[in-house]
Amino acid sequence: MAGNREESSKQREPLSRERVLQAAVRLADEIGIDSLSMRKLGQKLGVEAMSLYRHVANKDEILDGIVDIVAGEIEVPIPGQDWKSEMRRRAGSAHEVLMRHPWATMLIVSRANVGPAMLRYVDATIGCLREAGFSYAMADYAWNAIDSHIYGFTLQKLNFPFAPEEYAEAAKSYIDLIPADQYPYLNGMSHEVMDGNHDGLQDFYFALDLLLDGLEKNLETS
Amino acid sequence: MAGNREESSKQREPLSRERVLQAAVRLADEIGIDSLSMRKLGQKLGVEAMSLYRHVANKDEILDGIVDIVAGEIEVPIPGQDWKSEMRRRAGSAHEVLMRHPWATMLIVSRANVGPAMLRYVDATIGCLREAGFSYAMADYAWNAIDSHIYGFTLQKLNFPFAPEEYAEAAKSYIDLIPADQYPYLNGMSHEVMDGNHDGLQDFYFALDLLLDGLEKNLETS
DNA sequence: AGCGAAAATTTACACCGTAAGCTTACGCTG
DNA sequence: CAGCGTAAGCTTACGGTGTAAATTTTCGCT
């Protein structure tokens, strides 16, 4: 076995920062961010936990890294194009990506996020608003408003405990815990769900369009 | 020292679920939720960690408990009163309470939250919208939209790394990391901050009022 | 072939939540 | 007041965490 390194596939591929981060994203998708440990990540890569430290400084750097990988998956708005549809597309893409990586939103809203993909994403967002005529300050307010909706809506949706098709059935099982005399309105809404009059499905674009329409009016009157 | 139990204050007060939860809230406020451990909480109460388990089943139950304590601090809207100002007051109070307990929002958006204070809070919210003429479904959408803003805005504000008065100075120190040729708009906005033309302060009621106005229009045309 | 550097591993430590079993303290009854 | 039963608190232990330090293995190159 004259070991030609290129051909021998029994030899495991060497580690690298990129391979570590990619594996971390996949593992977090599979088992959740709370269960992701250095030891499990090492195991996934066929390596001891401490070997990872040759390629990343610590676990925090891994978390920063996988957030930036996720940020890189989001469709960026194009400055100069119609701002409303671009911001709408950006928001929808962000929501979709964050639903694909259910652990990512929590990390984003609790870390610095200064990776290159995140900076590019933010720069394009501000740029799209600026080119549409927003001042820097108004662009900041608009960006903050839209991102509040993206993060808040996504977190609530991820935290909702029932699948849409189970919801009516689930309501029947917990209705006794919210008696009408103590919680009349919560009880009433649950009955609407039980009776099939309300499916409880939330539309990401409902509140988003309220915000965009309001921002548009704000832009016109300035 | 004829030990009259009522008078002897050298004897430590016995533990109770209530005392454990109150101490947990204070400790989380002081050292953050990530640093809150059973051992530290025990220490704070002059007790060993394992003694806590006599009064709570496990740490998860403590987290559920302190979330409900926080929920109990939020001003509840009054069904029948003007829905817009009630919902505005509710949202502002929630934001204020969540800023007082910086760890709470994360817990709320990642747990079931079926404690009595939270149920009461939710019931009053739905009730306020229902009495104003919203259908159950529309009340659900409106509630979700407003709460998305509350959680998203609060998390972003808590995660912002600079105090308002440091912001301009901080921008000067990181401006080199976002060169104009790579991130033109982010660079431009930072210059606005550095030059004192934009303070970066976000107003909770800016996006909230966009939502409430949009919801009002939605209510009128139905 | 052998050497220097890079990569990977081993061992160890302080911390975490909590299960199981033990000891202490209390409240009540005789 | 004695004594007993139970509740409250404590000790010990286990498997998990991130990671510092020291060691061994592997690789690339002369």
Side-chain angles (χ1 to χ4, degrees):
Chain A
M1 44 180 83
N4 185 324
R5 241 169 286 97
E6 283 170 351
E7 287 176 0
S8 90
S9 66
K10 70 184 64 159
Q11 215 135 314
R12 71 184 175 205
E13 190 158 343
L15 278 184
S16 70
R17 186 187 149 86
E18 211 51 39
R19 245 164 65 76
V20 169
L21 295 181
Q22 294 292 349
V25 168
R26 279 200 304 275
L27 190 54
D29 287 344
E30 287 168 17
I31 68 177
I33 198 75
D34 289 340
S35 299
L36 185 150
S37 72
M38 299 300 278
R39 285 169 175 84
K40 285 182 195 155
L41 180 54
Q43 197 169 24
K44 176 120 182 162
L45 287 158
V47 126
E48 294 301 318
M50 289 310 292
S51 304
L52 304 171
Y53 287 86
R54 186 64 45 176
H55 303 95
V56 294
N58 48 40
K59 190 177 180 182
D60 258 26
E61 199 174 288
I62 292 184
L63 297 182
D64 283 337
I66 62 180
V67 162
D68 210 55
I69 288 178
V70 169
E73 295 180 14
I74 302 175
E75 283 178 38
V76 143
I78 302 169
Q81 306 268 36
D82 176 64
W83 72 271
K84 230 174 143 183
S85 60
E86 286 301 301
M87 293 303 286
R88 202 173 190 273
R89 186 170 60 79
R90 179 200 94 119
S93 172
H95 176 58
E96 186 217 326
V97 168
L98 294 177
M99 291 300 294
R100 259 207 313 264
H101 305 290
W103 43 269
T105 312
M106 284 288 204
L107 291 188
I108 289 175
V109 298
S110 59
R111 313 185 64 81
N113 309 316
V114 290
M118 186 61 89
L119 292 182
R120 184 183 129 81
Y121 166 70
V122 168
D123 188 70
T125 303
I126 301 172
C128 183
L129 293 166
R130 278 291 289 163
E131 296 301 327
F134 287 88
S135 70
Y136 272 117
M138 268 304 298
D140 201 6
Y141 304 149
W143 166 37
N144 180 271
I146 293 168
D147 277 16
S148 289
H149 175 66
I150 294 172
Y151 298 140
F153 185 94
T154 304
L155 286 171
Q156 288 199 89
K157 182 163 174 182
L158 286 169
N159 196 40
F160 192 74
F162 310 116
E165 64 274 14
E166 318 171 329
Y167 192 18
E169 200 59 35
K172 286 181 195 163
S173 76
Y174 68 65
I175 188 71
D176 293 337
L177 302 176
I178 42 173
D181 57 336
Q182 266 192 16
Y183 309 106
Y185 301 104
L186 197 44
N187 182 282
M189 180 174 285
S190 300
H191 270 104
E192 287 287 292
V193 172
M194 285 163 50
D195 299 347
N197 298 325
H198 174 44
D199 60 13
L201 247 53
Q202 296 290 341
D203 179 10
F204 177 76
Y205 296 97
F206 173 70
L208 178 63
D209 286 335
L210 295 186
L211 290 170
L212 292 175
D213 289 347
L215 290 172
E216 184 173 37
K217 202 177 303 176
N218 222 305
L219 176 63
E220 285 165 358
T221 66
S222 72
Chain B
M1 46 179 81
N4 185 326
R5 241 169 286 98
E6 283 170 350
E7 287 176 1
S8 90
S9 66
K10 69 183 67 160
Q11 214 134 317
R12 72 183 174 206
E13 190 158 343
L15 278 183
S16 70
R17 184 187 150 85
E18 212 50 38
R19 246 165 63 76
V20 169
L21 295 181
Q22 294 292 348
V25 168
R26 281 199 304 274
L27 190 55
D29 287 344
E30 287 168 19
I31 67 176
I33 199 74
D34 289 341
S35 299
L36 185 150
S37 72
M38 299 300 278
R39 285 169 175 85
K40 286 183 194 156
L41 181 54
Q43 196 169 25
K44 177 119 184 164
L45 287 159
V47 126
E48 294 300 319
M50 289 310 292
S51 304
L52 302 172
Y53 288 86
R54 187 66 45 177
H55 302 95
V56 294
N58 48 42
K59 190 177 181 182
D60 258 27
E61 200 175 287
I62 292 184
L63 297 181
D64 283 336
I66 62 179
V67 162
D68 211 54
I69 288 177
V70 169
E73 295 179 13
I74 302 174
E75 283 178 39
V76 143
I78 303 170
Q81 306 269 33
D82 175 64
W83 73 271
K84 232 175 141 183
S85 60
E86 286 301 303
M87 293 304 286
R88 202 173 190 275
R89 187 169 59 79
R90 180 200 93 120
S93 171
H95 176 57
E96 186 217 326
V97 168
L98 294 177
M99 291 300 294
R100 259 206 316 262
H101 305 291
W103 42 270
T105 312
M106 284 288 202
L107 290 188
I108 289 175
V109 298
S110 59
R111 312 186 64 80
N113 310 316
V114 289
M118 186 60 89
L119 291 182
R120 184 182 128 82
Y121 165 71
V122 168
D123 188 68
T125 303
I126 301 172
C128 184
L129 292 167
R130 278 291 289 164
E131 296 301 328
F134 288 87
S135 69
Y136 272 117
M138 269 303 298
D140 201 5
Y141 304 149
W143 165 39
N144 180 270
I146 293 169
D147 277 16
S148 289
H149 175 66
I150 294 173
Y151 299 140
F153 185 95
T154 304
L155 286 171
Q156 288 199 88
K157 182 163 174 180
L158 287 169
N159 196 41
F160 192 74
F162 310 116
E165 64 274 13
E166 318 171 327
Y167 192 16
E169 199 59 35
K172 286 181 196 163
S173 76
Y174 68 63
I175 187 72
D176 292 338
L177 301 175
I178 43 173
D181 58 335
Q182 267 193 16
Y183 309 106
Y185 300 105
L186 197 45
N187 182 282
M189 180 174 284
S190 300
H191 270 104
E192 287 288 293
V193 172
M194 285 163 51
D195 299 346
N197 297 325
H198 174 43
D199 60 13
L201 247 54
Q202 297 290 340
D203 178 9
F204 177 76
Y205 296 98
F206 173 70
L208 178 64
D209 285 337
L210 295 186
L211 290 171
L212 292 175
D213 289 348
L215 290 171
E216 185 173 36
K217 202 177 301 177
N218 223 304
L219 177 63
E220 285 166 356
T221 66
S222 71

